[in-house]
Amino acid sequence: MASPLVVLTDFHAVTNRALSYAAGLAEPLQAKLVLLHARYDALLAPLDDDLPYAPLNDQATDRALQRLANAQPVPTLVEVSERELPEAVRAAVLHHHPLLLVLGQPGGASTPAEVLTSTAETLLSTVPYPLLLLPALGDWQAAPPRRLLLAVDGQPFVLHQYQDVLRQLLGVADGTLAVVRVADSSHGRLGVDAILRTVATHDLTDELAPELLSEVDNISVVGGVLAEAARQHTDLLVVVARRHSLLGRLFHRSVTAQLIEQSPIPLLVLPAQD
């Protein structure tokens, strides 16, 4: 059986599109799901300025999680941790060696997008691992994705040792991977060959043909990436998150953070070491 997918649940333990997507991805991968719930962690709790965070009744949460697990089309394990979310995720990664982590909008569409961004920032900077983020809104389709778009900046990067994730995702639905790089007023064009070399060194997938790369001009890198994703009818957007962006105070201004908040389709973030 393939490596499992770890799905992070908020403290409501409710059924949502993220779980359905994860199950739809796990089924063709012949992988199981792990529903990970950090019982006393407020990171995924919906914001409420008037009321302090308080976890739901332990037994009620456990029952709700088990009902979710029983309803899935693939074997699903419930794992409840007494640790805070980053430590719970770190332990789950060490124990299960998952293909990726899955995170939906905590609390549903009514929760500000900044909550998802903040949670992603914390996880990516403390437990660098492939993180699949699923927006609450948007007309995105169920898994598995068939048209993937990798957004790069054209500069060299060093990934952690999980390159096989894209190859597996492409294999389950005979998918295609295209590459986009956006040139703006501060970053001129680099040329197809130079950009492809930065991707080819990581063996993320089979050799990419030059015609699968688009270098587009836009005043906004994020706007250019999202416009190209829409033009190509992309199912899954993939972005490399650099370590200095994740650890710096300007994460909320980074391209990665803006894509997390604005992408109308699922977004796979691959954290880099540099």
Side-chain angles (χ1 to χ4, degrees):
M1 181 172 284
S3 299
L5 279 61
V6 172
V7 183
L8 310 181
T9 70
D10 65 23
F11 82 110
H12 282 308
V14 295
T15 303
N16 52 47
R17 296 176 74 189
L19 182 54
S20 297
Y21 189 96
L25 187 57
E27 197 165 17
L29 284 169
Q30 297 185 327
K32 68 179 181 181
L33 296 178
V34 177
L35 297 187
L36 177 62
H37 177 68
R39 195 187 301 281
Y40 299 106
D41 191 275
L43 191 58
L44 292 181
L47 297 178
D48 193 325
D49 294 331
D50 299 322
L51 296 174
Y53 166 71
L56 296 182
N57 176 272
D58 290 352
Q59 292 183 348
T61 299
D62 293 348
R63 287 195 299 268
L65 288 168
Q66 195 57 57
R67 284 195 297 269
L68 287 178
N70 294 340
Q72 302 314 307
V74 297
T76 303
L77 172 68
V78 172
E79 192 164 293
V80 177
S81 175
E82 307 300 327
R83 307 177 184 182
E84 294 186 354
L85 187 65
E87 288 305 312
V89 171
R90 189 190 309 277
V93 165
L94 291 174
H95 180 67
H96 297 288
H97 304 288
L99 179 66
L100 48 81
L101 309 173
V102 181
L103 176 63
Q105 180 74 24
S110 61
T111 303
E114 291 79 8
V115 176
L116 184 65
T117 306
S118 175
T119 304
E121 173 195 8
T122 300
L123 291 176
L124 290 165
S125 59
T126 57
V127 192
Y129 212 79
L131 181 61
L132 177 61
L133 298 150
L134 300 168
L137 301 176
D139 188 26
W140 43 275
Q141 302 300 313
R146 291 175 172 79
R147 294 178 297 275
L148 283 66
L149 179 64
L150 171 64
V152 298
D153 60 11
Q155 301 303 313
F157 56 89
V158 179
L159 291 177
H160 293 269
Q161 297 301 311
Y162 46 66
Q163 289 94 324
D164 196 47
V165 60
L166 281 187
R167 198 180 298 275
Q168 289 198 45
L169 292 178
L170 290 168
V172 295
D174 195 22
T176 60
L177 176 67
V179 179
V180 62
R181 192 260 176 180
V182 178
D184 60 11
S185 58
S186 302
H187 307 87
R189 284 178 171 260
L190 296 177
V192 171
D193 292 341
I195 299 169
L196 285 181
R197 280 196 296 271
T198 67
V199 179
T201 56
H202 296 285
D203 192 32
L204 291 170
T205 183
D206 295 332
E207 184 176 357
L208 288 166
E211 59 267 22
L212 293 177
L213 184 139
S214 301
E215 190 171 24
V216 300
D217 297 295
N218 197 293
I219 59 174
S220 162
V221 173
V222 172
V225 169
L226 295 180
E228 186 63 19
R231 187 187 72 82
Q232 296 193 24
H233 303 288
T234 299
D235 298 319
L236 176 64
L237 184 59
V238 185
V239 62
V240 174
R242 296 183 180 278
R243 182 174 173 83
H244 66 265
S245 294
L246 298 174
L247 298 180
R249 294 181 179 179
L250 297 182
F251 177 88
H252 62 287
R253 297 181 183 175
S254 73
V255 170
T256 302
Q258 292 178 65
L259 286 173
I260 291 173
E261 293 183 1
Q262 299 178 31
S263 178
I265 61 175
L267 174 69
L268 176 62
V269 183
L270 302 178
Q273 296 184 40
D274 57 334

